[in-house]
Amino acid sequence: MNRLTRTILCAALMGVPGIGAAQNLDLNVSGGSDDLRSELKDAMSLYALADAEETTPQALIAAAQADYERIVAALYGGGRFSPVVSIKVDGREAAEISPFEAPASINTILIEVDPGPRFQFGRAEIAPLAEGTEIPPEFQTGERAGTAPIRNAVTAGVTGWRNVGNAKARLAEQEIIADHPERALNVRLRLEPGPRLRFGEIGVSGNDRVRRTRIREIAGLPQGEVFDPQEIADAERRLRQTGVFGSVAVSEAETPNADGTLDLDVQVAEQKPRRFGFGAEVSTQEGGKLSAFWLHRNLFQGAERLRVEGEVSGIGTDSDEMDYALRLTYGRPATFTPDTDFFLTAGIERLNEPGFTSNQANIAAGLTQRFSDQLTGSFGLGYRYIDTEDAFGAREFQLLTAEFGAIYDTRNNTLNPTGGYYLSATGTPFLGLDDTESGLRFTSDARGYVGLGAEDRFVLAGRAQIGSVWGPSLGETVPDYLFYSGGGGSVRGVPYQSLGVTLPNGDFTGGQSFAGVSAELRATVRDNIGLVGFYDAGMITEDSGFGGDRDWHAGAGFGLRYNTGIGPIRVDIATPVTGDDAGRNYEIYIGIGQAF
């Protein structure tokens, strides 16, 4: 047998003054590939000591003795069950050297490994299994043997029983025999399902300010019902989503109760109840925007959230006035059901938009329902007062609103997705008071993402938006219910809300319908650096349902992304590709997260 030898010199392994350390660390692997040698190096603690500033002979002897087991475990994991391992310290086998009799200095440590042949599964049996349990396909006769497929098979078998209520299912017996002449690994695993259990008492520990009764309500564990590990995962998710707890864990009692129930303990660690923050955003057309918020996470000791936020936008633009907003949001989790949250919002706002200016006040209350990990819905009732001036003059509007919304989200990352899609739809029927007309406003947003290449180096992203208002005429529609196009949220490269409806007298206002599409090609050029090319287009029509005269515009450009732990920092440069300004003007947009 030819021996491939790889020698690694680690002259930096110096001991403390007066005590020498190993000057040569050699690894010889018979018939091994570079990948195998790399795996063994990663598994060994001797190589980890190579970077230590001070390494004593005693530490090297202890590491060498531990590395026998580490090397064998790594080889077993790769399906090699007849290895021969030798670790010699200055010619002596490390296993025979007492750590208390370590030499004053070590010159050479030689590791010799004969990994032996790879084994296949001869027999691969696991029983009994719960109905519907799927065992990993790599655990079957003829497949490459290894410890990982065995562990995965046990995990799948135990999980299958737990999913049907047998919470204490376990591996009761295992028989693993290596047939060296046949190079086969024969495995027989026997599971012990244990009894089918129900959820018992729900204890709470670690809480400080949040009441235990509210923690149980939010967790929503169904006491008395058949044990289900998904219920535990949902309980942990609900508690984390409140934002009140820094850590959440649900632990099971070691022993079931005599009545067939299993007690649980909900362990939590609370975060500080108060928090504040601020943000900034800038674009060449919309100007700068500053925002700040103050948050109380546990207002009435029931994980209720109160958030007060303010915003000033339009900073540095040519406009005479800036926009101001002050909003209050109250949220209460686990209202009526564990997955139903109550919300109350109120706010005042000053808007100075290209097509109108207005002073507004609003209040609304409603419920948000989580139907699954991907699907959420909401319903709310509210009142709005708007004092506005636009192309149709100075007017007042009063509305009673009902808002129905749904979001279906399968994106793998909300700030930087590389796969999945996002669908949202919102319908807002409104009843006009004091001569205000009634009607319905509808909006929808669809986004999709496809990753291409190794590790999704390239991503194709697309977006489509539509919206329309039915009921009132154009001149009787609340100005901020009308649609405009242009700017960072619709068509980059053209001025903010520059596309709308031009009336016969030359005045400018929004349209009753909008459609927009965007496409991006995102490429990762380095670990934290990405480039983006994009094209946006938008259309506005004068009438409901995309009737009447219509106009559209488009913009294109490129962007730079710098990935951070909280999402990519975005810088986009865009220019119009339609109209008289095509290719002449440009807009710059800066923010956090992808454009969509």
Side-chain angles (χ1 to χ4, degrees):
M1 178 183 296
N2 293 327
R3 178 177 299 273
L4 300 178
T5 303
R6 183 183 182 190
T7 301
I8 301 176
L9 302 180
C10 298
L13 284 176
M14 301 299 297
V16 296
I19 302 179
Q23 300 299 304
N24 297 288
L25 185 58
D26 299 350
L27 172 61
N28 299 333
V29 181
S30 299
S33 65
D34 288 341
D35 289 341
L36 177 59
R37 285 190 284 268
S38 179
E39 290 175 11
L40 295 181
K41 275 185 56 181
D42 291 342
M44 295 168 59
S45 55
L46 276 171
Y47 282 91
L49 289 178
D51 296 327
E53 293 183 1
E54 295 183 353
T55 303
T56 65
Q58 289 86 349
L60 290 170
I61 295 296
Q65 293 175 340
D67 279 344
Y68 286 102
E69 183 176 351
R70 292 173 179 268
I71 293 171
V72 170
L75 292 170
Y76 277 14
R80 299 175 185 272
F81 294 92
S82 57
V84 177
V85 179
S86 172
I87 304 177
K88 292 185 177 180
V89 179
D90 286 340
R92 298 175 59 193
E93 198 67 38
E96 301 174 357
I97 302 174
S98 170
F100 302 102
E101 299 177 355
S105 63
I106 297 175
N107 293 319
T108 301
I109 298 179
L110 177 63
I111 306 107
E112 293 188 318
V113 178
D114 182 354
R118 284 199 177 101
F119 280 54
Q120 293 181 331
F121 283 115
R123 183 175 65 205
E125 301 174 2
I126 180 170
L129 296 175
E131 185 177 355
T133 301
E134 294 186 5
I135 298 300
E138 60 268 21
F139 182 72
Q140 61 179 335
T141 299
E143 291 295 318
R144 177 177 169 179
T147 54
I150 299 174
R151 287 195 300 267
N152 294 339
V154 173
T155 299
V158 170
T159 299
W161 281 112
R162 283 173 57 83
N163 287 340
V164 297
N166 300 64
K168 294 303 179 182
R170 66 182 183 88
L171 175 65
E173 183 181 339
Q174 61 180 345
E175 181 183 274
I176 303 176
I177 300 174
D179 186 338
H180 291 272
E182 298 295 329
R183 297 181 180 179
L185 191 70
N186 297 313
V187 180
R188 186 179 67 85
L189 307 171
R190 187 176 68 82
L191 302 179
E192 184 177 302
R196 198 176 191 212
L197 302 174
R198 293 173 288 112
F199 286 116
E201 295 293 329
I202 310 299
V204 176
S205 60
N207 60 307
D208 182 17
R209 301 177 181 87
V210 184
R211 301 190 305 274
R212 292 184 178 182
T213 54
R214 283 293 292 151
I215 292 176
R216 293 189 182 97
E217 289 176 1
I218 297 168
L221 289 165
Q223 188 172 350
E225 295 188 11
V226 174
F227 175 89
D228 185 351
Q230 185 59 48
E231 292 285 355
I232 294 177
D234 289 342
E236 293 176 337
R237 184 257 305 162
R238 294 184 190 111
L239 289 167
R240 283 193 296 267
Q241 286 180 338
T242 65
V244 175
F245 306 105
S247 64
V248 176
V250 178
S251 59
E252 306 166 17
E254 290 292 332
T255 306
N257 299 316
D259 61 354
T261 61
L262 182 67
D263 296 339
L264 303 178
D265 183 42
V266 181
Q267 303 161 345
V268 298
E270 296 180 13
Q271 298 195 73
K272 294 181 179 179
R274 296 172 184 83
R275 179 187 175 192
F276 71 91
F278 63 90
E281 187 173 337
V282 64
S283 78
T284 52
Q285 178 65 30
E286 300 166 51
K289 179 168 69 175
L290 298 177
S291 60
F293 73 89
W294 176 86
L295 173 68
H296 197 304
R297 291 188 173 99
N298 187 32
L299 190 62
F300 301 122
Q301 287 73 54
E304 304 90 353
R305 292 165 62 92
L306 176 65
R307 181 184 176 106
V308 181
E309 56 187 323
E311 180 181 293
V312 179
S313 58
I315 301 171
T317 63
D318 295 334
S319 175
D320 295 334
E321 298 185 43
M322 294 184 292
D323 295 344
Y324 304 90
L326 179 64
R327 304 183 186 91
L328 180 148
T329 303
Y330 169 80
R332 183 182 188 272
T335 301
F336 304 128
T337 77
D339 286 314
T340 306
D341 294 348
F342 170 80
F343 65 85
L344 173 67
T345 64
I348 56 175
E349 189 171 21
R350 166 70 175 179
L351 288 176
N352 185 41
E353 299 296 304
F356 68 92
T357 60
S358 70
N359 297 304
Q360 305 186 17
N362 64 82
I363 185 170
L367 300 171
T368 299
Q369 177 70 38
R370 182 185 181 95
F371 297 101
S372 69
D373 290 343
Q374 294 81 32
L375 179 62
T376 59
S378 63
F379 169 73
L381 296 174
Y383 168 80
R384 297 189 66 200
Y385 171 81
I386 306 102
D387 179 9
T388 186
E389 184 174 354
D390 62 0
F392 300 99
R395 297 170 296 164
E396 291 184 359
F397 296 88
Q398 293 188 66
L399 303 174
L400 293 177
T401 62
E403 185 171 293
F404 302 84
I407 296 176
Y408 191 74
D409 189 355
T410 66
R411 292 174 296 176
N412 54 7
N413 185 309
T414 56
L415 288 176
N416 191 22
T418 59
Y421 53 89
Y422 170 94
L423 303 172
S424 72
T426 303
T428 308
F430 53 90
L431 175 65
L433 305 177
D434 194 19
D435 296 330
T436 301
E437 293 191 14
S438 303
L440 168 69
R441 187 177 195 260
F442 174 81
T443 59
S444 180
D445 188 356
R447 313 173 192 180
Y449 309 88
V450 178
L452 304 172
E455 298 182 351
D456 296 330
R457 182 181 176 187
F458 299 94
V459 177
L460 286 175
R463 182 183 192 183
Q465 304 175 79
I466 60 171
S468 192
V469 180
W470 289 271
S473 64
L474 180 66
E476 295 298 329
T477 303
V478 176
D480 65 357
Y481 276 1
L482 296 175
F483 297 94
Y484 300 82
S485 181
S490 55
V491 179
R492 288 163 286 183
V494 299
Y496 174 63
Q497 294 192 353
S498 59
L499 183 63
V501 174
T502 302
L503 300 176
N505 63 1
D507 289 338
F508 180 76
T509 187
Q512 287 196 305
S513 299
F514 162 74
V517 293
S518 297
E520 288 192 351
L521 175 60
R522 304 168 183 171
T524 300
V525 295
R526 291 188 179 180
D527 291 342
N528 295 322
I529 303 295
L531 296 177
V532 174
F534 56 85
Y535 180 91
D536 303 331
M539 179 185 70
I540 296 291
T541 67
E542 183 176 345
D543 297 337
S544 303
F546 301 96
D549 295 334
R550 64 185 63 189
D551 197 6
W552 72 282
H553 61 176
F558 62 91
L560 178 68
R561 304 290 186 266
Y562 179 79
N563 292 321
T564 69
I566 59 173
I569 297 175
R570 179 180 77 254
V571 180
D572 287 338
I573 301 175
T575 184
V577 295
T578 57
D580 296 336
D581 293 331
R584 296 182 179 180
N585 297 330
Y586 67 91
E587 307 287 343
I588 299 176
Y589 307 89
I590 301 173
I592 294 179
Q594 296 287 0
F596 60 87

